[in-house]
Amino acid sequence: MTGNDELGRLAAPDLTPTGLAARGWDRASLRAYLATGTAVPAVASDEMLKVVNLSTSRLDGKDLDAIATYLTGDSPRPAAALARPAGAAAPSPAQDRYFALCAGCHGRDGRDGRDGQGVPHVAPALHGNSSLRDANPHNLIAAILDGLPEHDLPGLERMQDMPGFGEQLDDAQVAELANWLRARYGGRDEPVLADRVHALRSATPESEHR
Ligand code: HEC
């Protein structure tokens, strides 16, 4: 796998052992993700949700172990600790926007002493989320612009849908929010530029606008 192949609107991330560990995955979280569609680093979306619902959630424990072992390699690396880039805690207009637009579902700083906690059965935690830790900001930008559909996960678990914010936020505001989220909850400080947001916004087929 070379990683970052585009699967529809969302990009398939790097699944090499190094790429997975860098985004916070280890064997246990991968196994949980394949079995249930949810794990600390991510909730399955899009094409991966179909894979989990139709296939991996139906595997038995031994097969799940085998896939998780295959993906993480013979000498698995521990999930990389989350870096805390300088300036990650600096207040910014993006922080206010996060509180106004996102925190109602994804959790607000300090509510129970943890950053970015999700609300169970409503939305996943963003602290340490794989999309925020990915060097490629594609999926984070797409989630902010388009939102994400409602999910029925294996068993009785489900996640509500996430609204898109493409109409409320301009390219610079989306980039600023992505930068703040990546620094604060994803340990990344390479800047996301407004041009990148613009390119993804322009690539949205009309049919995807809601
Ligand atoms: C109405 C509730 C709601 C609001 C408001 C909301 N989200 Fe979400 N968000 C969700 C849900 C539910 C999911 C999981 C759904 C999915 O993965 O399809 C999600 C998923 C995500 C993901 C992907 C997580 C993953 O594991 O793949 C990101 C990134 C994200 N939201 C960022 C944001 C940002 C940034 C904002 C504010 C601009 C925001 N969300 C506002 C409900 C919400």
Side-chain angles (χ1 to χ4, degrees), residues 25-126:
W25 291 96
D26 59 16
R27 247 177 220 182
S29 53
L30 272 168
R31 192 185 187 287
Y33 178 85
L34 295 168
T36 67
T38 50
V40 173
V43 177
S45 290
D46 204 40
E47 306 289 330
M48 260 323 286
L49 180 63
K50 285 182 216 151
V51 173
V52 169
N53 273 330
L54 297 176
S55 151
T56 58
S57 65
R58 300 173 184 202
L59 295 174
D60 65 22
K62 256 180 29 209
D63 289 341
L64 286 169
D65 286 338
I67 300 181
T69 302
Y70 171 74
L71 287 170
T72 49
D74 291 332
S75 38
R77 294 159 181 74
L82 206 56
R84 188 93 178 164
S92 80
Q95 178 172 329
D96 297 338
R97 241 168 244 134
Y98 175 80
F99 288 149
L101 301 177
C102 324
C105 293
H106 288 289
R108 198 182 159 84
D109 274 350
R111 188 157 65 189
D112 65 358
R114 284 189 305 145
D115 276 355
Q117 77 277 24
V119 179
H121 311 294
V122 173
L126 293 183

Side-chain angles (χ1 to χ4, degrees), residues 185-198:
Y185 300 134
R188 302 216 72 106
D189 56 5
E190 315 89 328
V192 175
L193 303 177
D195 286 356
R196 181 84 196 253
V197 178
H198 186 73

Side-chain angles (χ1 to χ4, degrees), residues 10 25 33 37-46 49 94 97-106 119 121-126 129-132 139-145 147-151 153 158-165 168-169 174 177-178 180-181:
L10 298 177
W25 291 96
Y33 178 85
T38 50
V40 173
V43 177
S45 290
D46 204 40
L49 180 63
R97 241 168 244 134
Y98 175 80
F99 288 149
L101 301 177
C102 324
C105 293
H106 288 289
V119 179
H121 311 294
V122 173
L126 293 183
N129 184 276
S130 185
S131 310
L132 274 60
N139 289 347
L140 172 59
I141 299 171
I144 297 174
L145 288 176
L148 290 160
E150 180 180 291
H151 278 172
L153 293 158
R158 62 203 294 272
M159 290 269 169
Q160 67 177 71
D161 64 332
M162 167 170 155
F165 295 90
Q168 274 180 65
L169 302 176
V174 171
L177 182 59
W180 183 82
L181 285 165

